[in-house]
Amino acid sequence: MSSIAFIGLGNMGAPMANNLIKAGHQLAVFDLVPGAVNSLADAGARAATSAADAVRGAEVVVTMLPASKHVEALYLGQDLLGAIDPSALVIECSTIAPDSARKVATAAQQRGLAMIDAPVSGGTAGAAAGTLTFIVGGEADNLARAMPVLQAMGKNIFHAGPAGAGQVAKICNNMLLGILMAGTSEALALGVANGLDPKVLSDIIAKSSGRNWATELYNPWPGVMENTPASKGYAGGFGVDLMLKDLGLAAEAALSSRSSIPLGELARNLYSLHSGDGSGKLDFSSIVNLYTHKTQ
């Protein structure tokens, strides 16, 4: 078992860290929210007083932070790289801009540190269940080293390519997810407005050419599926503002590569409107409320 520093104990990070503890790894944890640290300490982790304290002596460093600016501030601004043992492996699980991932990876390489970017898919439910999908960028040898740690938190692990490739693949996936959820919501709202039962319409779509993940596993209409955010007041899950952030990353990547993403940009505008009506903290499937004229 490994000695692991885990930094960032939010809705995703906390259950991921907890699964590492359950797998028998020794954890030192840090977050800017003391309550999050204390909760993991109660589960058996060492409560670190700072990020630098957490990484001291760690064989593996895992970070799960909100955005690019936080990752760059931690690794480069605070020079956390300088506090990490040169023999350690760094696993950066945040969803950030590919350019930021490459920037930090280059700085790590210059210090002789092994690092991979490994953003996740699967949401808070996947984080809690240990069934996340890891989309990895970096050298194959470093991924091989990371496998025992990743397998304690996830079920599917893909090697997308060199540093930053994990972020590119994650951004592409989430852009498509945002488009699919907006389109599914639009179709269901149209059907209901014309007298259809949303569950019946969802069942029809799920067995027809319009089938997709949203209609089959994460339906946005309240009451159609049990245990989805839509049937719990859109609480939990993957927030509107997080989807908006990822769609913004897709726009940045498109600009950087001179790519055209008209549907991605449209989805970004829709989620921006939805966030602006006070729904930013709700699950992203609440985008259906835009089509039914419901607001917070």
Side-chain angles (χ1 to χ4, degrees), residues 7 32 63-80 92 94-104 167 241-242 245-246 249 252 281:
I7 301 167
L32 294 177
T63 49
M64 174 58 94
L65 303 174
S68 300
K69 63 181 182 181
H70 304 101
V71 173
E72 290 194 31
L74 177 67
Y75 283 108
L76 306 180
Q78 298 179 34
D79 193 25
L80 186 69
E92 215 302 290
S94 318
T95 297
I96 60 175
D99 286 344
S100 288
R102 296 184 189 108
K103 183 178 179 180
V104 175
Q167 301 296 344
D241 284 346
L242 290 175
K245 181 202 82 169
D246 287 358
L249 291 174
E252 290 177 20
K281 302 302 181 186

Side-chain angles (χ1 to χ4, degrees), residues 218-225 227-235 283 285-286 288:
Y218 209 88
N219 199 287
W221 203 275
V224 171
M225 288 183 176
N227 300 318
T228 59
S231 294
K232 300 177 182 179
Y234 299 104
D283 181 75
S285 62
S286 64
V288 73

Side-chain angles (χ1 to χ4, degrees), residues 99-166:
D99 286 344
S100 288
R102 296 184 189 108
K103 183 178 179 180
V104 175
T106 297
Q109 185 178 32
Q110 290 172 346
R111 289 180 175 269
L113 286 168
M115 185 175 194
I116 60 173
D117 52 285
V120 304
S121 180
T124 53
T131 58
L132 291 170
T133 293
F134 286 90
I135 309 165
V136 179
E139 295 182 10
D141 289 348
N142 293 337
L143 172 56
R145 286 180 60 188
M147 287 297 283
V149 175
L150 298 181
Q151 287 171 338
M153 300 183 286
K155 186 176 181 181
N156 302 298
I157 301 165
F158 295 98
H159 189 198

Side-chain angles (χ1 to χ4, degrees), residues 1-5 26 55 57-61 85 87-90 145:
M1 295 294 103
S2 299
S3 171
I4 301 173
Q26 295 181 340
V55 304
E59 298 170 285
V60 179
V61 176
D85 189 292
S87 65
L89 171 66
V90 182
R145 286 180 60 188

Side-chain angles (χ1 to χ4, degrees), residues 13 45 70 140 199 266 287:
H70 304 101
K199 187 176 189 318
L266 177 56
I287 190 75

